[in-house]
Amino acid sequence: MKNTSYLFFALLMVFSSCSSIKVISDTDESADFTTYKTFGFMPWSNSSKTLVNGVNRELIREAIKFEMENRGYEFVEGESDLSVNAMIILERESAVASYNDYYGNHPYGYTYYGVGFGYSATSYEVYDVWKGTLIIDVFDAKQKKLIWQGSAIGKVNEGIEDRKDNIDYVMKFIYKKYPLKPRKK
C-alpha cells in the first residue's frame, strides 16, 4: 500500500494542470473582509497530520500565509481577527478501463469470409484512483463563524517533484475565489 503522505504530494502534482482541478468556494455575504486586520492558524486536525508530514504542512502554511498577507492581512501568533484552517481528504475510488481490439487476430479485419468480417475482443481493467481534496477554511475568530471556504479537488497522480511550486500554484488557484483580491502580482 502506498504511503498516504506520498499520495498527498502526488495530489499536488495533478493540480498543476488546470483541466484536472476543480475549485469550489463559499463566502458569507454578510462578512466585511476589509474590517479584518490579522490572521493566525488553527492546529492541524489529527486526520490531516497523518496525511501530511511536518515539512509539507509548513509549505502549505507558508503558501496560505503568502496569500493572506498579499490581501493585506498581518500574520500574528495567538489572538487574531481571522483563524485559518487547512484540511486534507483522500478517497479511493475504483475505475474501469476497456480496450477494444476491433480487428481481432486478423490484420485489417480480413478473415476467411472477406473484408471486415473479423471479430473484436474487449478486455477490461479495474484499478484504484485516488481523489484528493485540499480545503482552506477562514473563520471570524471572535464570533467563531466560518466566513469563507475554498477547496481544490482533483485526481491523484504519481510523482512528487517541484512540491513547493505546486503547493503555491494550488493555493493561488484556490485564493482566486477569495473576496479580497491580491495587492501584488
Side-chain angles (χ1 to χ4, degrees), residues 1-127:
M1 182 172 187
K2 294 182 180 181
N3 179 339
T4 54
S5 183
Y6 170 81
L7 287 171
F8 170 71
F9 302 117
L11 166 70
L12 295 175
M13 289 303 296
V14 78
F15 286 156
S16 64
S17 168
C18 290
S19 64
S20 61
I21 183 173
K22 179 179 180 181
V23 175
I24 301 168
S25 72
D26 192 16
T27 305
D28 179 350
E29 299 299 327
S30 67
D32 182 1
F33 288 82
T34 61
T35 62
Y36 302 107
K37 303 298 178 206
T38 60
F39 76 97
F41 289 108
M42 297 173 70
W44 284 90
S45 69
N46 288 334
S47 62
S48 289
K49 274 185 183 179
T50 61
L51 296 175
V52 184
N53 68 30
V55 171
N56 294 295
R57 286 193 304 266
E58 186 61 30
L59 287 173
I60 291 167
R61 289 236 167 133
E62 286 300 315
I64 293 170
K65 185 178 174 189
F66 174 81
E67 292 296 332
M68 294 296 284
E69 288 176 341
N70 203 15
R71 284 160 174 78
Y73 302 116
E74 178 187 350
F75 173 73
V76 295
E77 297 282 346
E79 283 193 37
S80 60
D81 299 331
L82 298 172
S83 294
V84 181
N85 185 44
M87 192 173 8
I88 309 298
I89 300 170
L90 286 175
E91 298 175 281
R92 186 187 315 202
E93 298 176 347
S94 291
V96 177
S98 65
Y99 306 96
N100 194 311
D101 177 6
Y102 292 104
Y103 302 113
N105 291 328
H106 306 286
Y108 311 108
Y110 292 99
T111 68
Y112 174 76
Y113 301 107
V115 178
F117 287 99
Y119 63 91
S120 67
T122 302
S123 59
Y124 298 92
E125 178 184 352
V126 178
Y127 58 95

